[in-house]
């Protein structure tokens, strides 16, 4: 039987990067911020300009610096897979085509590939899609999920930590999943997508579905 496709987001789903993002911005701009300060849904330059209004900076400058500096600033050992991710990927690999998707531009793809190799999971992925959508775009644009249309076969799942991205996958995949590890309590949801607080839940969702 032909394998079905699952798309997995890089930041905040496969790797724990929220503290690394704030760590880089603090180092680069001399700030004292927390991870949640950069998770408002606003572009980085708007957040930065609200913190230091007397020193405005353009979106192009912020994201050019971020693209060039984020991975080189952090060492490979700073990046950690979410607990249970490696074992789950190994099990899913036997019955699905796995693809990694990210908003990061293609210039960062080499760093991502090296991280996958360093953590022993590179062989589980059939491909990496870098949407490169840091710069101005319409909210309706689906830079990450548009990759689905380029794949052959049945698109089984899409896993992302951003609710708006998961909602864009509705109708395009059979099992959309919102990854929400910060949720301390089980949330009863009537949304049209699944919720997963950890990779154990992802394993349950997709290994169970594969038996149906």
């Amino acid at each position: 039987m032909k394998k079905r496709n699952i798309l997995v987001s890089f930041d905040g789903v496969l790797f724990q990067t929220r503290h690394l993002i704030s760590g880089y911005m603090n180092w680069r701009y001399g700030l004292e911020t927390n991870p949640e300060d950069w998770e408002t849904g606003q572009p980085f330059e708007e957040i930065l300009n609200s913190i230091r209004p007397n020193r405005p900076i353009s979106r192009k400058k912020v994201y050019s610096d971020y693209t060039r500096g984020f991975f080189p600033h952090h060492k490979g050992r700073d990046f950690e897979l979410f607990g249970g991710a490696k074992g789950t990927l190994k099990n899913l690999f036997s019955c699905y085509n796995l693809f990694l998707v990210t908003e990061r531009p293609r210039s960062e793809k080499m760093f991502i590939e090296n991280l996958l190799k360093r953590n022993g999971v590179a062989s589980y992925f059939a491909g990496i899609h870098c949407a490169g959508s840091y710069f101005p775009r319409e909210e309706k644009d689906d830079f990450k999920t548009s990759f689905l249309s380029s794949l052959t076969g049945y698109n089984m799942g899409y896993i992302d930590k951003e609710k708006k991205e998961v909602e864009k996958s509705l109708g395009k995949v059979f099992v959309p999943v919102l990854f929400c590890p910060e949720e301390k309590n089980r949330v009863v949801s009537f949304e049209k997508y699944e919720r997963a607080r950890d990779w154990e839940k992802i394993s349950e969702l997709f290994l169970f579905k594969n038996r149906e």
Side-chain angles (χ1 to χ4, degrees), residues 51-204:
I51 296 172
R52 39 171 239 176
N54 296 327
R55 289 179 289 168
I57 190 169
S58 69
R59 173 175 289 198
K60 183 175 182 180
K61 175 61 175 171
V62 170
Y63 284 106
S64 293
D65 286 348
Y66 182 73
T67 299
R68 291 197 305 267
F70 177 75
F71 282 106
H73 171 68
H74 292 294
K75 305 303 180 185
R77 61 180 177 273
D78 294 336
F79 293 83
E80 294 183 12
L81 289 170
F82 273 93
K86 187 172 183 178
T88 299
L89 289 173
K90 180 179 180 180
N91 292 333
L92 293 176
F93 171 71
S94 65
C95 40
Y96 293 102
N97 291 316
L98 303 176
F99 295 90
L100 192 65
V101 294
T102 175
E103 285 191 346
R104 296 177 179 277
R106 285 188 293 273
S107 59
E108 293 182 286
K109 185 175 181 179
M110 177 186 69
F111 296 106
I112 294 172
E113 290 173 335
N114 288 337
L115 281 177
L116 296 180
K117 292 175 183 176
R118 182 186 180 94
N119 287 272
V121 295
S123 62
Y124 301 143
F125 288 96
I128 301 172
H129 172 59
C130 295
S133 57
Y134 283 154
F135 293 96
R137 63 190 190 276
E138 296 295 328
E139 191 66 24
K140 61 180 173 57
D141 288 343
D142 54 350
F143 284 85
K144 290 165 77 174
T145 55
S146 63
F147 181 58
L148 289 162
S149 62
S150 69
L151 301 176
T152 57
Y154 186 75
N155 292 322
M156 186 67 177
Y158 177 78
I159 310 165
D160 204 302
K161 70 179 180 67
E162 300 288 347
K163 181 178 177 181
K164 63 181 180 181
E165 297 295 335
V166 175
E167 289 175 341
K168 290 173 186 176
S169 74
L170 295 177
K172 299 178 181 179
V173 299
F174 187 57
V175 187
V177 180
L178 178 65
F179 191 69
C180 38
E182 284 79 40
E183 280 187 358
K184 292 184 171 51
N185 300 308
R186 180 177 177 82
V187 175
V188 178
S189 175
F190 297 97
E191 303 286 356
K192 296 180 180 179
Y193 49 80
E194 301 281 355
R195 303 177 82 94
R197 288 185 292 169
D198 50 42
W199 274 83
E200 182 180 356
K201 178 62 176 179
I202 291 175
S203 177
E204 291 175 5

